[in-house]
Amino acid sequence: MSIFSKIKSAIFGEKGPLGGGHFGTPKAAPAPAPQTTAAQPTPIPTSAAPTPQAAPAAPAQAVDVEAVLSGIASKKGSDLNWRTSIVDLMKLLDLDSSLDNRKELATELGYTGAKDGSAEMNMWLIKAVMRELAKNGGTVPANLKD
């Protein structure tokens, strides 16, 4: 699993605070099957009430990334600066924040500068991660993406 996938899963997925594994949709019990009996008449549609068509699937609910991460920080009693530090974001999500993992993340996200752990690389990474989270169903404030 890629480093970004691990970040995304920690926020949106099964291990994330919202559960469900699909961008924050909570796990739900399966709907009970409708019960029919032979004694019930089949309703006949009238011209006044058109036959309902199957509704298109609703888009996955957007996840408020800032709220989720703030919630995790609050639960952990953490004072990590995840808004501006990729290392702190990874630590908050219990991910390995080593230089090797940050280099791998930089490669995944298309960083073209020196992969040396510099402040420039790390600042680029936190913004790139936030942009990618937004592209993948997260709601991220503009100041965290720019």
Side-chain angles (χ1 to χ4, degrees), residues 8 10-12 16-18 22-25 60-73 82-83 89 92-93 130 133-134 136-144:
K8 187 170 68 169
I11 296 169
F12 300 138
L18 302 176
H22 297 291
F23 301 101
T25 54
Q61 182 181 15
V63 174
D64 185 338
V65 172
E66 184 174 29
V68 169
L69 293 172
S70 293
I72 294 169
W82 59 265
R83 287 175 179 85
L89 174 66
L92 181 68
L93 299 175
M130 293 299 170
L133 289 171
N136 284 275
T139 303
V140 179
N143 66 327
L144 296 181

Side-chain angles (χ1 to χ4, degrees), residues 9-142:
S9 292
I11 296 169
F12 300 138
E14 290 262 293
K15 294 181 181 178
L18 302 176
H22 297 291
F23 301 101
T25 54
K27 291 183 182 178
Q35 296 181 359
T36 59
T37 62
Q40 294 178 342
T42 304
I44 300 171
T46 64
S47 60
T51 305
Q53 303 268 334
Q61 182 181 15
V63 174
D64 185 338
V65 172
E66 184 174 29
V68 169
L69 293 172
S70 293
I72 294 169
S74 177
K75 285 180 186 174
K76 289 184 173 185
S78 172
D79 61 352
L80 293 170
N81 190 6
W82 59 265
R83 287 175 179 85
T84 59
S85 168
I86 190 65
V87 172
D88 284 0
L89 174 66
M90 293 173 83
K91 285 180 180 180
L92 181 68
L93 299 175
D94 297 324
L95 299 173
D96 178 2
S97 62
S98 68
L99 178 57
D100 285 341
N101 275 357
R102 287 181 282 127
K103 285 179 183 180
E104 183 178 332
L105 179 61
T107 300
E108 286 175 36
L109 298 180
Y111 183 67
T112 57
K115 294 179 182 123
D116 56 3
S118 67
E120 178 183 329
M121 181 184 108
N122 290 334
M123 289 169 49
W124 185 92
L125 278 173
I126 190 67
K127 295 203 180 281
V129 164
M130 293 299 170
R131 282 191 301 269
E132 288 300 311
L133 289 171
K135 288 180 189 175
N136 284 275
T139 303
V140 179

